[in-house]
Amino acid sequence: MEMRVMTDSKRRKGLMAASALVGGVLVLSACSGGGSQANGAEGGGGKSPQAQVDEAAAQKTSEALIKIAPKDGSDNASINNAAAVTVSKGSLTNVKMTTAEGAAVQGQISADKKSWKPAGQLQRATVYKIAAEAEDSSGRAAHENASFTTVSQANSFIGNFTPEDGSTVGVGMPVSINFDKAITNKADVQKGITVSSSSGQEVVGHWFGNQRLDLRPQDYWTGGSTVTLKLNLDGVEGANGVYGVQQKTVTFKVGRNQVSTVDAETKTMTVTRDGKVVKTIPISAGSPENKTYQGQMVISEKFKETRMDGSTVGFKGTDGKGEYDIKDVPHAMRLSNSGTFIHGNYWGAKSIFGSANTSHGCVGLSDAKGADDPKTPGAWFYDNSMVGDVVVVKNTGDKTIQPDNGLNGWNLDWAQWKAGSAV
């Protein structure tokens, strides 16, 4: 039989392997938290490695709590008020906002370093990213990131309004708002719109269909007053899934009280300013075949010269061309959307003004070609009129103009007007 003898060197290797194995068991026990060595067998009260790690991590974590709005991943966010960064138990040190393409958005951290917001309105249907940094009282840094998408054009609406901010208008000028989408939640939208006057007049809104809201007082605005329009439509649901994005304040001045009365029977226009007659002008209104609408009309646009083509308003010859096409009508002022104007006339005989009604429905005043003679009646009336002035037309034999044909809601009495309000 063969004898195997263990040498000293082999014996030492075996002891070392056994020692390593025992050490491995001890290390494994220490990591799992089950050995007496891990519970302080050596020191009688020492902390475990995991406890030491947790304590160290706690010492390194900032107490500053950053909050970004909207929440990460949000869509249909407001373009006005949604984006904001705030911090508690700390101070903001840096906020960076960009579009998904990397374009920077300007903003400012508040004086107390507790909040941040963009400097201006955001774009619709745009992805934005915000990266914020803050530190607590011990100087430990905190970081937060978020990304959101603003409301799309398909899911938002705006209102195009008149008159313009800072303008001066006549006493008949209503606030007229045309929405780019049909409004079904009319009450909510109307509640988000307020119009007030320094005169203290009550102002009520009236809906014409689903996309137009006009607001006016019972009587014409008080001359010299200031009117304020506030659009607080941001986030207002105008229709299912369609939200407002406007947050705006507009002010305009009301000028002197000028109302001009056109009498088609006497073929004269009497201009009254602040209760006093300032001028009487001979006119020529619509012919018996093409009568001028009656009623209270408001000047909505002014053109020193403009083209008038009969084909655009239904006056066509057998060849399909307009019965008239005058490319340089002087001193024209619009009274209706359907084509009623009060304007200068240089092509008619001077004798018709004050004696015959010959037009296709407009009110004509004697004028000069080129609109460069300030002494003509047409030039005088143009120079002394403003958008929002009232022109009352009577005795034409035609029907009263529809209140939504132009800015002519004054042809509804107060009870009728209030009946068209949604609130």
Side-chain angles (χ1 to χ4, degrees):
M1 172 180 285
E2 180 181 356
M3 299 292 290
R4 293 181 181 266
V5 179
M6 181 177 290
T7 65
D8 288 340
S9 61
K10 288 182 178 180
R11 185 179 292 108
R12 284 194 296 270
K13 289 180 180 180
L15 291 173
M16 290 174 65
S19 176
L21 178 60
V22 173
V25 172
L26 290 175
V27 170
L28 179 61
S29 298
C31 288
S32 64
S36 60
Q37 187 78 14
N39 291 324
E42 286 188 358
K47 297 180 180 178
S48 72
Q50 184 63 50
Q52 294 173 357
V53 170
D54 292 343
E55 183 179 1
Q59 291 175 350
K60 294 179 180 179
T61 300
S62 176
E63 292 184 350
L65 300 175
I66 301 172
K67 182 179 179 181
I68 298 178
K71 293 181 179 179
D72 187 37
S74 299
D75 56 12
N76 284 332
S78 165
I79 63 175
N80 293 293
N81 301 317
V85 179
T86 57
V87 65
S88 59
K89 298 182 180 180
S91 301
L92 290 172
T93 55
N94 186 47
V95 177
K96 182 180 181 181
M97 182 175 184
T98 63
T99 64
E101 292 76 23
V105 177
Q106 297 299 314
Q108 187 171 5
I109 295 175
S110 62
D112 62 3
K113 297 184 179 181
K114 295 295 184 182
S115 63
W116 176 95
K117 64 171 61 175
Q121 190 180 67
L122 305 180
Q123 299 295 315
R124 285 190 282 183
T126 302
V127 176
Y128 289 97
K129 297 181 178 181
I130 295 179
E133 300 174 14
E135 62 179 27
D136 62 12
S137 58
S138 298
R140 293 172 295 191
H143 302 265
E144 193 68 48
N145 296 274
S147 176
F148 64 91
T149 305
T150 52
V151 63
S152 67
Q153 291 190 358
N155 292 325
S156 62
F157 71 89
I158 62 170
N160 298 301
F161 56 86
T162 190
E164 296 180 358
D165 186 31
S167 60
T168 299
V169 298
V171 296
M173 188 71 183
V175 173
S176 186
I177 306 171
N178 286 274
F179 299 101
D180 64 349
K181 299 217 176 38
I183 302 300
T184 56
N185 299 330
K186 292 181 178 179
D188 289 344
V189 171
Q190 189 173 337
K191 288 175 183 176
I193 300 170
T194 58
V195 177
S196 59
S197 173
S198 61
S199 65
Q201 293 171 278
E202 179 189 10
V203 181
V204 175
H206 183 101
W207 287 89
F208 293 111
N210 292 328
Q211 291 185 243
R212 176 177 167 185
L213 174 66
D214 284 13
L215 302 102
R216 68 166 177 88
Q218 181 173 0
D219 300 312
Y220 301 144
W221 300 109
T222 300
S225 60
T226 299
V227 180
T228 301
L229 162 66
K230 292 185 177 181
L231 297 170
N232 293 310
L233 297 175
D234 186 61
V236 174
E237 190 171 23
N240 187 28
V242 179
Y243 299 89
V245 296
Q246 287 171 296
Q247 185 170 295
K248 190 175 183 66
T249 298
V250 174
T251 60
F252 61 91
K253 297 285 188 180
V254 179
R256 72 289 177 274
N257 184 323
Q258 180 167 300
V259 178
S260 302
T261 302
V262 172
D263 189 333
E265 186 175 359
T266 64
K267 304 167 186 65
T268 58
M269 177 172 66
T270 303
V271 181
T272 302
R273 187 178 300 158
D274 295 328
K276 296 181 180 180
V277 175
V278 294
K279 200 169 187 69
T280 300
I281 302 173
I283 60 94
S284 179
S287 68
E289 298 77 22
N290 302 297
K291 298 173 184 176
T292 306
Y293 285 130
Q294 298 190 130
Q296 302 173 72
M297 306 184 204
V298 173
I299 296 173
S300 59
E301 289 182 293
K302 293 180 65 180
F303 306 96
K304 187 173 181 180
E305 288 184 284
T306 192
R307 178 183 179 182
M308 291 188 178
D309 181 354
S311 66
T312 63
V313 289
F315 292 111
K316 297 181 180 180
T318 56
D319 58 358
K321 294 182 180 180
E323 293 181 10
Y324 57 88
D325 187 359
I326 305 169
K327 298 176 174 60
D328 57 353
V329 177
H331 301 123
M333 291 172 280
R334 182 182 292 277
L335 299 178
S336 78
N337 293 340
S338 61
T340 307
F341 281 78
I342 184 166
H343 61 78
N345 178 332
Y346 66 80
W347 54 90
K350 302 298 182 185
S351 60
I352 67 170
F353 301 103
S355 63
N357 292 322
T358 62
S359 81
H360 284 77
C362 292
V363 177
L365 313 177
S366 180
D367 212 327
K369 184 178 176 64
D372 55 3
D373 184 353
K375 297 179 181 180
T376 65
W380 183 93
F381 188 64
Y382 182 89
D383 292 340
N384 285 274
S385 297
M386 65 175 61
V387 168
D389 280 350
V390 180
V391 177
V392 180
V393 181
K394 64 181 185 179
N395 297 326
T396 69
D398 201 10
K399 61 185 178 181
T400 299
I401 192 168
Q402 289 296 308
D404 60 345
N405 186 1
L407 303 175
N408 299 324
W410 300 104
N411 294 289
L412 295 174
D413 63 32
W414 192 232
Q416 292 173 315
W417 184 264
K418 293 177 75 173
S421 173
V423 297

